[in-house]
Structures are given as structure tokens and as C-alpha cells.
Amino acid sequence: MSDIGSLDALVQALRRLPGVGVKSAQRIAFHLLQHDRAGARELSQALAMAAQQVQHCQRCHTFTESAVCATCLDERRDVSRLCVVETPADQAAMERTGAFSGLYFVLMGRLSPLDGVGPRDIGVQQLLERAGDGVVQEVILATSFTAEGEATAHALAEALKRRGVQVTRLARGVPVGSELEYVDLGTIAHALADRR
Amino acid sequence: MSDIGSLDALVQALRRLPGVGVKSAQRIAFHLLQHDRAGARELSQALAMAAQQVQHCQRCHTFTESAVCATCLDERRDVSRLCVVETPADQAAMERTGAFSGLYFVLMGRLSPLDGVGPRDIGVQQLLERAGDGVVQEVILATSFTAEGEATAHALAEALKRRGVQVTRLARGVPVGSELEYVDLGTIAHALADRR
Ligand SMILES: [Zn+2]
Ligand SMILES: [Zn+2]
């Protein structure tokens, strides 16, 4: 873009963001430097802080700033049911239905061999240990009803059943091919009631 | 998104970027924290560095890390011709034609009353002083051939002519309605030769 080292470095760093090409990166860099330096500094600090503070919950694998997240520490939850979701956004969608009072395990992804996402990345070993702790009575698989979400659910169900854990899956009331996060609440609640 | 302060702050900061909505901001934050913390730290540092280092060239108003940019310091350039462009990307497009050896004035925008961009924001006073220094013989207006670019060229031409400066405009060989940055080099070169 220029003979300006720090500007070039900024454009390169922005290009690492998902969905940001070289033109977008230049446009964003230009906007920040020309119109919103306060925004640039705020983002700089937010990135450094989040990269330092955010870790995985030891119980449910979601993002948290403590060793164990607030949901896992909530003593009013039903500890006998464990709902497996792909992302914190999916967990939030499930929470908004008000139809589930158990706990969660957040994969933070789904199995995707082509993208190099394997069992270790989604915390499968951690889930198996958690589900086999003698307290959990039922694991509800609420991964997305996409090809990768279904494959993930299938692999998890096999592994869990081998350990004698009762496994259910959200009913197919959830439209096939959709991301859980974008489904309307009534459909999710219905699918939860009809789990099989 | 969560009860995680630093993650929420990161999503909020990302939403300030142009073209990034709440869903995109969550997706980018998730990606950085789950898959690319090194990228998050790199971007954090690049933002802080650029916000600190990048300033406007005292001669041509473009971004630079020095008081005067490398182009303005280049003694091989024809100091009698001054080409006015909207952005560094437009200047780069002009340079790639190899058809212009003069100097530049980079507005870093264009007049846009609805967006609150006025003469002060695009350095009009600085341009008038520069063009009236007795060295500049011709100002070539190479703003975009969009409604706002034409309005900007018109306003600049009026002000420059009042001060007795010779003003030309890129020929209309440049397709109307297009951004200069995306025009093919031959068209720009031809428009430069036919300036009126
Ligand atoms: Zn947790
Ligand atoms: Zn300059």
C-alpha cells in the first residue's frame, strides 16, 4: 500500500482476520487511522486483554476468565443432564428457550477433518471424562444439524455409549442444514422436548 | 455474548470497524481466541504502533511516518505539476500508469456533507496554500468520477481558479460512476493525456 512500515504491518495483521481480504484490510486501516484512532487504540487493548485473560472452563470447555465459568458454578442447575453444543452462541440460544436447566459442554467447534479440526480440538477426552463421572445421567447432543454437526454427534454418541452413558439427540424439529444459533426459540424448545 | 468482560469488550471494539456487524464481530473474536491468539497479539501491536506512528505528510497530506513523505522528498519529481487524488490507493493507481511524474496532494477523502466530511477534513486550506506557492504551475484534479468526487473537484476548481491557479481535470475517459482505484491503467493513462 505504501512505504509506511507500520501501516503495511497493520494491513497484514488485519488480513489474518476471517473474511477480510486485502481490499477490506486497507479500507479498515484507512478508516481507523483517518477517522477513528481512539477505536484503533481501544481494539488494540481489547485484543491484548482478551488474548491474555480468556481461557477454557475446566468443567465445560467454554471461554471464561476464571478456572470454572459462572454457569458451571451455578448450584441451581440440574447436574444430571449435560447438553453438548458447538459454540457459546449455541449455548446462549439454548438458554434463551428457558427449556433446559442442566449443564453444558461446549465443544468450541465441531469435527472437521478437512479443516484439521480433530477430537483433541473439541475436547472429546474431557467430555468423556465429564460424562462418565457418575453424576451425569444423560448427555443431550445439540450440535448443529449440518453434515459436520451430524458427524460430530454420531462420533460422540458412539464413544459415549461405549462407556454406558445415556445419549439423546435434539429432535429433528430443527430444520436440517441450519445453524442452531439462527433457529427460532420455539423450534429449539420443541426439538428439546422431542429429543430421542 | 457471555459473562466474560474481556471477550465482550473485544466484540464491542471489533464492531467499530467498518463493515463489521455484531455477528461478524463475534465470529472474529471466537476465531482469534480459539485458533489464532498469535494473530490477536500481532494485530494488537500493529494497531498501537500504527496509531502512534502514522501522521499526515506536511506537504501532500497523505499518511507517512515522517514529517514529509518519501514521494514529496523525491527530487526527481516534476514540482510544477500537482495531482489531487482522494486516497493513497488512488495515488498508487496513478503511479502504476507511469504517465505522471509530478507530485501529489492526497485529500484522504472527498467532500461528503451527509457524512460530515467538510473542507477541513480533506485539507482544502493546505491544498490552496500549496498550489499557490508559485512553484506549482498546474493542478490536475483526479478525484473519482462519482457524484461526490465530481462535487469535490468542482469546489476545488472554483477555489483554485479564484487564486489564479491553472486547473485541469482528468478526461472523461475514466468510466463515469467508477472509483479510480479500480480502473485499468490504460484508461487512466489516456484520461491523463486528455486532461482538459
Ligand atoms: Zn463451564
Ligand atoms: Zn507527501
Side-chain angles (χ1 to χ4, degrees):
Chain A
M1 186 172 185
S2 63
D3 54 349
I4 316 168
S6 63
L7 180 53
D8 290 340
L10 176 56
V11 171
Q12 289 305 314
L14 286 165
R15 286 188 63 186
R16 280 177 80 153
L17 300 180
V20 175
V22 62
K23 285 288 176 196
S24 297
Q26 288 175 349
R27 191 164 45 87
I28 291 170
F30 183 87
H31 171 83
L32 288 173
L33 293 172
Q34 182 71 5
H35 301 295
D36 194 13
R37 296 212 180 200
R41 291 193 189 89
E42 178 188 320
L43 180 54
S44 170
Q45 287 160 13
L47 284 162
M49 188 65 75
Q52 185 186 16
Q53 300 279 344
V54 176
Q55 53 185 298
H56 288 283
C57 173
Q58 291 172 4
R59 296 274 293 160
C60 74
H61 200 239
T62 196
F63 285 146
T64 175
E65 289 178 350
S66 327
V68 178
C69 78
T71 304
C72 287
L73 288 173
D74 185 349
E75 297 186 349
R76 292 163 303 180
R77 316 279 317 194
D78 173 2
V79 296
S80 69
R81 288 184 214 296
L82 189 67
C83 182
V84 178
V85 293
E86 293 179 2
T87 66
D90 290 343
Q91 177 181 345
M94 185 67 76
E95 283 292 285
R96 285 196 298 274
T97 69
F100 181 70
S101 61
L103 288 169
Y104 292 91
F105 190 90
V106 188
L107 300 172
M108 307 302 274
R110 53 191 172 197
L111 292 175
S112 179
L114 292 177
D115 298 323
V117 180
R120 183 189 294 266
D121 301 297
I122 62 171
V124 169
Q125 189 56 40
Q126 198 177 338
L127 169 60
L128 293 178
E129 285 166 18
R130 173 75 188 282
D133 65 359
V135 176
V136 173
Q137 299 298 311
E138 176 187 4
V139 173
I140 301 163
L141 296 175
T143 54
S144 292
F145 281 72
T146 59
E148 287 181 344
E150 291 277 26
T152 302
H154 183 75
L156 294 178
E158 292 297 307
L160 287 162
K161 283 174 186 166
R162 272 200 300 276
R163 280 151 205 262
V165 179
Q166 189 196 339
V167 179
T168 57
R169 176 89 167 109
L170 286 194
R172 281 194 181 270
V174 176
V176 172
S178 63
E179 308 270 349
L180 197 65
E181 174 179 355
Y182 301 101
V183 174
D184 70 276
L185 306 187
T187 302
I188 295 180
H190 199 268
L192 185 69
D194 286 352
R195 66 184 182 270
R196 54 187 168 73
Chain B
M1 185 172 183
S2 64
D3 54 348
I4 315 170
S6 63
L7 180 54
D8 289 341
L10 175 56
V11 171
Q12 289 305 313
L14 286 165
R15 287 188 62 185
R16 281 176 80 152
L17 299 180
V20 176
V22 62
K23 286 287 175 196
S24 297
Q26 289 175 348
R27 192 166 43 88
I28 291 170
F30 183 87
H31 171 84
L32 289 173
L33 293 172
Q34 182 71 4
H35 301 295
D36 193 14
R37 294 211 180 198
R41 292 195 187 88
E42 179 189 319
L43 180 55
S44 170
Q45 287 160 13
L47 284 161
M49 188 64 75
Q52 185 186 18
Q53 300 281 342
V54 176
Q55 53 185 299
H56 287 285
C57 172
Q58 290 172 5
R59 295 275 292 161
C60 75
H61 201 239
T62 195
F63 285 145
T64 175
E65 289 179 349
S66 327
V68 178
C69 77
T71 304
C72 287
L73 288 172
D74 184 349
E75 296 187 347
R76 294 163 301 179
R77 315 279 318 193
D78 174 2
V79 297
S80 70
R81 289 185 214 294
L82 189 68
C83 181
V84 178
V85 292
E86 292 179 3
T87 66
D90 289 344
Q91 176 181 346
M94 186 67 77
E95 283 293 283
R96 285 197 297 273
T97 70
F100 181 71
S101 62
L103 288 169
Y104 292 91
F105 190 90
V106 188
L107 300 172
M108 307 302 274
R110 54 191 171 195
L111 292 175
S112 179
L114 292 178
D115 297 323
V117 180
R120 181 189 295 265
D121 301 296
I122 63 171
V124 169
Q125 190 55 43
Q126 198 178 337
L127 169 61
L128 294 177
E129 286 166 16
R130 172 77 187 280
D133 66 358
V135 177
V136 173
Q137 300 297 311
E138 176 188 5
V139 172
I140 303 163
L141 297 175
T143 55
S144 293
F145 281 73
T146 59
E148 287 181 345
E150 291 278 26
T152 303
H154 183 76
L156 294 177
E158 292 297 307
L160 287 162
K161 284 174 186 165
R162 272 199 302 274
R163 282 151 203 261
V165 179
Q166 188 197 342
V167 180
T168 58
R169 175 86 166 113
L170 286 194
R172 282 194 181 269
V174 176
V176 171
S178 62
E179 308 271 351
L180 198 63
E181 173 180 354
Y182 301 102
V183 175
D184 69 276
L185 307 185
T187 302
I188 296 180
H190 199 265
L192 186 69
D194 285 353
R195 65 184 183 270
R196 53 190 168 73

